[in-house]
Amino acid sequence: MQQITAQHFAERIRRGAAQARAAGFDALLIAPGPDLAYFADYLPVATTERITLLVVPVDGEPAMVVPALEHDGAAATRAADAFRLVDWSDGEDEYVPTSALMEPSGRFAVSDALWAMHLLGLQQKLPGARFEAISHALPMLRAVKDADEIDRLAAAGAAADATFDDILGARFAGRAEREVAADLDRLLREHGHSQVDFTIVASGPNGANPHHEVGDRVIAEGDMVVLDFGGLMDGYGSDTTRTVHVGEPTDEEHEVFEIVKRAQQAAFDAVAVGVPCQDIDRAARAVISDAGYGEYFIHRVGHGIGTTTHEPPYLVEGEERPIEAGMCFSLEPGIYLPGRFGVRIEDIVVAADDGAHRLNNTSRELHLVQ
Ligand code: ZN
Ligand code: ZN
Ligand code: ZN
């Protein structure tokens, strides 16, 4: 893995400023959360009522407002040379130094995670300013990953793969979904995850509900079991799904599984730089519809992943923005038969000039478990 430096973050800030300029904004207002982790390598431990805000003007020098007592932490990140720090102390009106960095009648793209309290405080200081949510105004701000980010996503993917390989040795029949989910949580952490965001174990009829997380249902011989799990490792996300079967599957279960597998491959084959995001969804959907199961594929085919486990680009009908080299996203078609069972297969892939590369590489065959 290459050494990441302040230059990486300066480059991200430059790219962000260019996108903001192109969209007619005066500055980005980057708050603690995934945006600040991305631009400033900074996740303040205490995200509190005290404002921390990175102001990235489209012209001019970026600066981060920080509480004085958190100055040292902010100055110690790998991004610290990419912007200057502006301290404020308890007892001061924090919106004075913050608004001083902003154009009084400017137009600002604001991190989704900025506390409403702080946004209201800034609005009061700058009544002529206009604010818009970054996710709506600049959805692709963090969508194209650099080499360091792709390395981290690949490492997180490999850890999720190792987790899947380990869980195959676990007992399924006779245990509650909740117990298998606890195994997944423990294994993800053992393989290096600092945070587990979801451990879906959806057995039998529960598998037909893509939103089912986990419950007390006891897994039985003959069940299809959808396993969808992921979290953050070294600041970057993992998210993979495999569907396993307890004992021998029926012909119908096998057939449905094979259709989903072909749909997932069709999505993979459709990934190319310049292709509209919706075309990836269409490619998978065509396979499932042609096989007669179109009405049972009830969600988009994929979502981006980075400093969060769900973010743009969304691979969904109506999303016409093109795939760019460096975008990382899931491909996760499924078929959900109400009251019976479900199948989903999900890999994270990265788009490159020569097509897609998978960051999840466990077998996509139907695994039979005990
Ligand atoms: Zn079965
Ligand atoms: Zn998933
Ligand atoms: Zn996913």
Side-chain angles (χ1 to χ4, degrees), residues 198 228 239 241 303 309-310 330 332 346 348:
F198 45 87
D228 184 351
D239 183 6
T241 307
H303 57 81
T309 45
H310 287 93
S330 70
E332 52 180 304
E346 174 180 25
I348 301 302

Side-chain angles (χ1 to χ4, degrees), residues 16 31 65-66 87 107 117 128 167 219 234 260 301 305 312 329 340 356-357 364:
V65 176
V66 288
D87 293 0
R107 182 170 169 242
M117 178 177 97
I167 203 74
I219 301 168
D234 199 10
V260 173
V301 81
I305 187 166
F329 45 84
R340 303 188 55 215
H357 297 257
R364 284 176 300 284

Side-chain angles (χ1 to χ4, degrees), residues 5-7 9-10 13 38-42 74-83:
T5 63
Q7 275 183 339
F9 295 97
I13 289 171
Y38 175 78
F39 284 109
D41 189 38
Y42 186 46
T77 73
R78 294 168 298 184
D81 294 338
F83 45 83

